[in-house]
Amino acid sequence: MSRATENGVGAASPATDARERLFAAAVEAFADKGFHGTTTRDIATRAGMSPAALYIHHKSKEDLLYLISRAGHHATLRLVKNALSASENPVDQLTAVISAFTEHHARNHTTARIVNYELAALSPEHLNEIAGIRREIERHVREIVSAGVTTGDFHTGDPRMTTLALLSLGLDVARWYRDEGQWSPQAIAGHYRDLALRMLGYRDQRNPADA
Amino acid sequence: MSRATENGVGAASPATDARERLFAAAVEAFADKGFHGTTTRDIATRAGMSPAALYIHHKSKEDLLYLISRAGHHATLRLVKNALSASENPVDQLTAVISAFTEHHARNHTTARIVNYELAALSPEHLNEIAGIRREIERHVREIVSAGVTTGDFHTGDPRMTTLALLSLGLDVARWYRDEGQWSPQAIAGHYRDLALRMLGYRDQRNPADA
């Protein structure tokens, strides 16, 4: 699954290895039982450790949720920034963002569910930090939408609500996506990119019938 | 909140009253702590009962999750059917469905989160029944989309994936909606109705510039 992608591969030391095993075990446990239904003992057992060994590396299971959440949000922020820097054109930026965002939520659906549906379990301090990353992600996408409105490519009466809807669409893929389903992450990403352009009232001048 | 809407008001008997209090208490507890993080004792305490009293009315907390899930899904199915029967025209049917579906997920966001994010906690038999209602909801919306393609009002290369995207959009409102937020359920429903028409490539012939 997505563990290698989000957690990095190639352990540098026994401590790093232990932390990575705990991270992966926490992802599995939270996905199975939810954050509140998971005990530190569950996580330690899945990682092949004692609960006492877990506490050497992490203060609490909330600490692990925070690390999972931070890694997931940083991965999303990174792909949004990559899409932004790949072009100066808002249409190209938007299609790149929506494709990458949608594909990410299909591929990493297990982590993405935890990241998006367990926010309320974070400590106020951690939630505050994560909310900051979420605002940054939203702001970048909103700026692409607004830039497209300025160039006359996009048409929307409410760039903020439309931005939220665009993000909702990709994010909800994590809820329903199944590895054994009929659509590949790329197929969903391609269809959603076209839907996003329609939501923004974009008309391809090269082929107006497509819009 | 939404409790009165989905749970009915005006208790007919002490047993009905107890069941309704347990239903409402389970909604609160699952919303706060997740299904797996909630004990039957939590639910009984919130309802002002002993755990033994809870078992008079419900076999398990899964039984309560099932009742919440069933009520939520039936409410959604009902609004989809109402929208269908209000018109013969797929454009009117679609705008009615999307408006009602979106507004429902904003208003009943607490229940809708449980209903949509705790499906994996249902017993196989209950999940099977709920999955049947979900397929029926999806089928009705897909039939509206397909009818609109037939009349030439809608244009989509993949009615199934577009239907899923339309439902995703409304459903995800339950995740981010806050009662204290700046947008009313009606305002979101109105904007999402317009987005849905765009996603289907609909052009208002009375005002082509809007599309």
Side-chain angles (χ1 to χ4, degrees):
Chain A
M1 251 291 308
S2 62
R3 216 180 300 160
T5 325
E6 292 190 73
N7 197 21
V9 282
S13 74
T16 308
D17 181 54
R19 285 178 70 86
E20 291 193 355
R21 268 157 57 211
L22 287 165
F23 185 102
V27 168
E28 279 179 16
F30 295 157
D32 276 3
K33 293 280 211 166
F35 175 80
H36 290 294
T38 298
T39 62
T40 48
R41 179 176 291 275
D42 292 337
I43 299 169
T45 305
R46 281 177 195 257
M49 297 181 199
S50 68
L54 181 148
Y55 287 112
I56 296 171
H57 302 283
H58 299 285
K59 283 195 298 285
S60 63
K61 65 170 178 158
E62 191 277 336
D63 191 47
L64 275 156
L65 178 65
Y66 161 66
L67 292 175
I68 294 165
S69 192
R70 193 180 61 176
H73 282 92
H74 275 150
T76 302
L77 179 59
R78 210 159 40 236
L79 68 84
V80 170
K81 283 185 171 171
N82 286 347
L84 255 173
S85 62
S87 169
E88 301 267 295
N89 176 330
V91 176
D92 293 337
Q93 288 175 329
L94 187 96
T95 56
V97 162
I98 298 298
S99 301
F101 188 81
T102 304
E103 194 172 327
H104 172 82
H105 281 82
R107 276 192 205 292
N108 304 298
H109 57 97
T110 308
T111 317
R113 281 177 209 160
I114 300 165
V115 161
N116 287 300
Y117 303 141
E118 298 282 17
L119 285 172
L122 290 169
S123 72
E125 190 186 312
H126 286 158
L127 179 59
N128 194 40
E129 180 185 335
I130 299 296
I133 310 175
R134 289 179 85 88
R135 279 195 299 274
E136 197 178 344
I137 292 166
E138 199 186 320
R139 181 172 56 76
H140 283 306
V141 178
R142 196 170 58 241
E143 283 171 0
I144 298 173
V145 170
S146 297
V149 170
T150 303
T151 58
D153 287 306
F154 299 154
H155 308 273
T156 171
D158 192 332
R160 264 204 75 203
M161 207 192 286
T162 302
T163 298
L164 207 54
L166 290 169
L167 293 173
S168 262
L169 209 56
L171 197 149
D172 195 59
V173 170
R175 182 187 53 81
W176 61 260
Y177 183 82
R178 300 287 175 274
D179 286 322
E180 65 278 16
Q182 63 175 317
W183 295 310
S184 69
Q186 296 97 316
I188 302 166
H191 193 72
Y192 276 39
R193 178 199 59 211
D194 295 347
L195 290 177
L197 289 174
R198 285 182 168 193
M199 288 162 79
L200 288 165
Y202 174 71
R203 305 250 181 98
D204 189 340
Q205 298 306 316
R206 291 159 299 182
N207 185 6
D210 273 1
Chain B
M1 250 287 311
S2 62
R3 215 182 301 160
T5 324
E6 291 189 80
N7 197 20
V9 282
S13 75
T16 309
D17 180 54
R19 286 178 68 87
E20 291 194 355
R21 268 157 57 211
L22 287 165
F23 186 103
V27 168
E28 279 179 16
F30 296 158
D32 276 2
K33 293 279 211 166
F35 175 80
H36 290 293
T38 297
T39 62
T40 48
R41 179 176 291 276
D42 292 337
I43 299 169
T45 305
R46 281 177 196 255
M49 297 181 200
S50 68
L54 181 147
Y55 287 111
I56 297 171
H57 303 284
H58 299 285
K59 284 195 297 285
S60 63
K61 66 171 177 157
E62 191 277 337
D63 191 48
L64 276 156
L65 178 65
Y66 161 66
L67 293 175
I68 294 165
S69 194
R70 194 181 60 176
H73 281 92
H74 276 149
T76 302
L77 179 59
R78 210 159 40 238
L79 67 84
V80 169
K81 284 183 169 172
N82 286 346
L84 255 173
S85 62
S87 170
E88 300 268 294
N89 176 330
V91 177
D92 293 338
Q93 288 175 328
L94 187 96
T95 55
V97 161
I98 298 297
S99 301
F101 188 82
T102 304
E103 196 173 326
H104 172 82
H105 281 82
R107 277 192 205 292
N108 304 297
H109 58 97
T110 306
T111 316
R113 281 177 210 161
I114 299 166
V115 161
N116 287 300
Y117 303 140
E118 298 281 16
L119 285 171
L122 290 170
S123 72
E125 190 187 312
H126 286 158
L127 179 59
N128 195 40
E129 180 186 334
I130 299 296
I133 310 175
R134 289 179 84 89
R135 279 195 299 273
E136 198 179 342
I137 292 167
E138 199 186 319
R139 182 172 55 77
H140 283 307
V141 178
R142 195 170 60 242
E143 283 171 1
I144 298 173
V145 169
S146 297
V149 169
T150 304
T151 58
D153 287 307
F154 299 154
H155 308 273
T156 171
D158 192 331
R160 263 203 77 205
M161 206 193 287
T162 303
T163 298
L164 207 54
L166 290 169
L167 293 173
S168 262
L169 208 56
L171 197 149
D172 195 60
V173 170
R175 184 187 53 80
W176 62 258
Y177 183 81
R178 300 286 175 275
D179 286 322
E180 66 279 14
Q182 62 175 316
W183 294 311
S184 70
Q186 297 97 314
I188 301 166
H191 193 74
Y192 276 39
R193 179 198 59 213
D194 295 346
L195 290 177
L197 288 174
R198 285 182 170 194
M199 289 161 78
L200 289 164
Y202 175 72
R203 305 250 179 99
D204 189 339
Q205 298 306 317
R206 291 161 298 184
N207 186 4
D210 273 2

